[in-house]
């Protein structure tokens, strides 16, 4: 209500003015006035509203105010499920839960492809060893033959010559998958 003089102000119904403050001749509730929020002349920005005497960001339905910016907690990677909860690289926020993207699995805090990851082949923590690589989720030799868990070149390995377990005698070497006498000037050995 606007008053024309101090006398009008002094004789006004005080009960109707409770909780209001006189700002430039007008009684205002500073708890929810956009142009006088918390104090006379303290205007909120256009995208803000005055709530309990403080300017606050107003978010669209389905969004939350997270530190002064609006976020959809169901899909925002920086505010997934709650303000300030960030998804790890390679993850997306889906339904308020950080999830690995399609074809990826969370292993040890990182998303990985179990079909090709040498440290997580087919399952988290299943590391390929012995020169093997992860192919289709299975540890396999991409070069050579698997001889007791180790990828081996059967054409030149003295302990597996031509086939796994075929050992060349100390005086011979494995050449093209067969035990043979070493060429002149070479030393035979395992």
């Amino acid at each position: 209500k606007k008053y024309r003089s101090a006398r009008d102000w002094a004789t006004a119904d005080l009960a109707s003015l409770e909780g209001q403050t006189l700002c430039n001749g007008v009684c205002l509730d500073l708890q929810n006035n956009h142009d006088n929020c918390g104090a006379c002349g303290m205007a909120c920005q256009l995208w803000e509203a005055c709530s309990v005497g403080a300017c606050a960001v107003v978010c669209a339905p389905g969004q939350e105010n997270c530190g002064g910016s609006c976020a959809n907690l169901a899909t925002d990677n920086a505010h997934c499920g709650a303000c300030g909860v960030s998804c790890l690289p390679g993850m997306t926020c889906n339904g308020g839960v950080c999830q690995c993207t399609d074809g990826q699995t969370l292993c040890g805090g990182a998303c990985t492809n179990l079909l090709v990851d040498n440290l997580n082949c087919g399952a988290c923590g299943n590391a390929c060893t012995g020169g093997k690589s992860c192919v289709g989720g299975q540890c396999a030799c991409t070069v050579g033959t698997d001889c007791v868990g180790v990828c081996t070149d059967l054409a030149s390995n003295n302990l597996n010559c031509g086939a796994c377990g075929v050992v060349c005698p100390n005086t011979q070497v494995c050449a093209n998958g067969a035990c043979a006498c070493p060429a002149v000037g070479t030393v035979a050995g395992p």
Side-chain angles (χ1 to χ4, degrees):
K1 186 172 179 180
K2 191 167 188 166
Y3 295 95
R4 296 195 172 148
S5 70
R7 182 166 191 238
D8 288 345
W9 166 256
T11 60
D13 179 9
L14 295 179
S16 68
L17 301 176
E18 188 173 328
Q20 296 191 0
T21 302
L22 183 63
C23 293
N24 296 322
V26 179
C27 290
L28 301 171
D29 181 354
L30 302 182
Q31 297 298 300
N32 60 19
N33 187 287
H34 186 270
D35 296 323
N36 300 278
C37 187
C40 294
M42 186 66 84
C44 295
Q45 299 293 329
L46 292 177
W47 59 87
E48 296 176 321
C50 183
S51 176
V52 194
C55 295
V57 173
V58 177
C59 297
Q63 294 190 336
E64 296 292 326
N65 179 355
C66 292
S69 65
C70 295
N72 182 333
L73 302 182
T75 59
D76 191 316
N77 287 345
H79 305 286
C80 189
C83 292
V85 176
S86 295
C87 293
L88 296 171
M91 298 182 97
T92 57
C93 185
N94 187 2
V97 177
C98 293
Q99 298 175 340
C100 293
T101 55
D102 290 340
Q104 303 276 311
T105 301
L106 184 63
C107 290
C111 294
T112 188
N113 185 337
L114 298 179
L115 297 177
V116 296
D117 186 347
N118 288 337
L119 298 176
N120 300 287
C121 188
C124 293
N126 185 37
C128 294
T129 59
K132 295 180 182 181
S133 297
C134 188
V135 179
Q138 298 290 320
C139 293
C141 293
T142 55
V143 176
T145 302
D146 185 348
C147 290
V148 194
V150 177
C151 296
T152 306
D153 180 2
L154 299 179
S156 63
N157 187 295
N158 289 345
L159 300 176
N160 299 284
C161 189
C164 294
V166 175
V167 179
C168 291
N170 276 345
T171 59
Q172 297 181 359
V173 293
C174 185
N176 296 320
C179 294
C181 292
V184 176
T186 61
V187 177

